[in-house]
Amino acid sequence: MSSGLIIGILVGLWVLVRVVGRQITGSLVTQRQLMLMPAILLVLGALSLSSALDGASAGELAFLGLDCVVLIGLGLARGASIRLERREEGLFQKGTAATLGLWVLTIALRVGAAFGSAAIWPDSKLGQAALALTIGLTIAAQNAMIYRRALNLRIPFAVDRA
């Protein structure tokens, strides 16, 4: 295993622990929180992926596309499963048992896709390069659903702390 892959996995785990931890324990939600982490991951993922696209086969690209579609769907489902409440400070989110189950499924599918891709295309760099992008996509989809639901429920977002 390359050091880049290990670092990518550790960063991915840190992001997921941070996001899942906030959802399980419950937290106030600001617009900045919904936008910042996915935006950073998507930019880093796109930059990383751009260097790996040249040597990728059509099969690898189709596999990545399918992986992204599934992860976006799971992100939307997680966003729909989170309980949203109006608090004095603003929007409050708390994950449900379904949210936790969907996170477990998301992580299992992502790990399975990474190992599957590496087994089918052992010399490919696409799977490693797409790690930040795929994590960013699933979190962005989840946060987009939370954002839409909060607007529909007319719950104001919490205010960013200075």
Side-chain angles (χ1 to χ4, degrees), residues 30-42:
T30 66
Q31 286 182 328
R32 181 173 176 246
Q33 287 173 331
L34 290 178
M35 306 295 176
L36 188 61
M37 185 182 298
I40 290 169
L41 289 170
L42 289 170

Side-chain angles (χ1 to χ4, degrees), residues 19 24 72 84 127 130 157:
V19 170
I24 299 306
I72 289 169
L84 301 179
F157 292 94

Side-chain angles (χ1 to χ4, degrees), residues 6-142:
I6 293 170
I7 290 170
I9 290 170
L10 291 174
V11 168
L13 287 173
W14 177 80
V15 167
L16 291 175
V17 166
R18 182 172 160 88
V19 170
V20 175
R22 280 186 174 179
Q23 289 173 3
I24 299 306
T25 59
S27 65
L28 292 171
V29 180
T30 66
Q31 286 182 328
R32 181 173 176 246
Q33 287 173 331
L34 290 178
M35 306 295 176
L36 188 61
M37 185 182 298
I40 290 169
L41 289 170
L42 289 170
V43 168
L44 291 175
L47 291 173
S48 177
L49 192 63
S50 66
S51 64
L53 285 176
D54 287 339
S57 70
E60 290 174 281
L61 294 173
F63 190 86
L64 175 61
L66 178 62
D67 189 24
C68 289
V69 168
V70 169
L71 290 170
I72 289 169
L74 287 167
L76 292 171
R78 285 193 319 272
S81 73
I82 292 172
R83 193 176 59 223
L84 301 179
E85 300 174 9
R86 179 186 307 264
R87 296 268 174 106
E88 186 175 310
E89 303 91 350
L91 178 63
F92 184 83
Q93 70 173 354
K94 183 153 175 61
T96 63
T99 310
L100 184 58
L102 287 164
W103 266 117
V104 169
L105 179 60
T106 301
I107 293 166
L109 286 174
R110 186 65 203 106
V111 169
F115 279 111
S117 174
I120 297 168
W121 300 284
D123 297 327
S124 176
K125 303 245 188 265
L126 192 64
Q128 289 179 18
L131 187 61
L133 179 74
T134 56
I135 293 170
L137 281 173
T138 196
I139 294 172
Q142 172 185 292

